[in-house]
Amino acid sequence: MSNPQPRVPLASWWAIWFAMQSGLFVFYFVLGNQPAGSAQANPAMLGVGVMQVVVSAFVRWGLLPRMTDAQKAFPMFVVGLALAEGACFSGIFLAPAYKQELFFASILGVAQFVPLFAAKFYEPPRR
């Protein structure tokens, strides 16, 4: 007797994506409203934010398309979103000289996770 685990509703995918995307603007305009000031432009810190977006893109385009189960894909979806959003925080706190560039990279990184792909997990099985 197997108990199937309840699936995460498709609306949850959309709600989390929307919250992450809109949250970026809140974080940037509330936390990042301090001028960069005399912050040195350190390309290594820019690399940290860029790598977060690159790994996020790998999760989205390399791992999620191979997933066949919503229970396994949903955590990867959240991890990928968090990595993309992390670039904004890297810009605000680690590399204020690049905060605007990393903010836009973060917006694009989260935008690629629009959960249109998640509908495949909720289609009825074909016979």
Side-chain angles (χ1 to χ4, degrees):
M1 184 187 249
S2 67
N3 255 347
Q5 292 183 356
R7 292 193 301 186
V8 177
L10 187 57
S12 295
W13 295 69
W14 282 96
I16 289 173
W17 176 81
F18 181 75
M20 296 289 262
Q21 188 74 308
S22 59
L24 279 173
F25 292 92
V26 173
F27 297 137
Y28 182 75
F29 290 112
V30 172
L31 296 175
N33 64 358
Q34 305 301 322
S38 63
Q40 295 288 334
N42 186 348
M45 289 298 118
L46 175 63
V48 170
V50 170
M51 282 307 297
Q52 288 175 310
V53 175
V54 168
V55 173
S56 169
F58 173 74
V59 169
R60 171 58 184 99
W61 301 107
L63 297 179
L64 280 175
R66 295 180 183 165
M67 301 271 176
T68 58
D69 181 24
Q71 297 297 67
K72 294 177 184 167
F74 187 73
M76 293 307 297
F77 170 74
V78 173
V79 166
L81 281 172
L83 284 166
E85 192 174 45
C88 181
F89 289 112
S90 293
I92 292 170
F93 298 115
L94 297 178
Y98 299 109
K99 73 179 176 184
Q100 191 171 27
E101 291 85 353
L102 289 174
F103 171 64
F104 287 118
S106 191
I107 289 172
L108 294 174
V110 171
Q112 71 183 340
F113 280 90
V114 173
L116 295 173
F117 67 92
K120 76 176 185 179
F121 301 120
Y122 297 90
E123 294 175 355
R126 295 183 182 163
R127 296 177 194 213

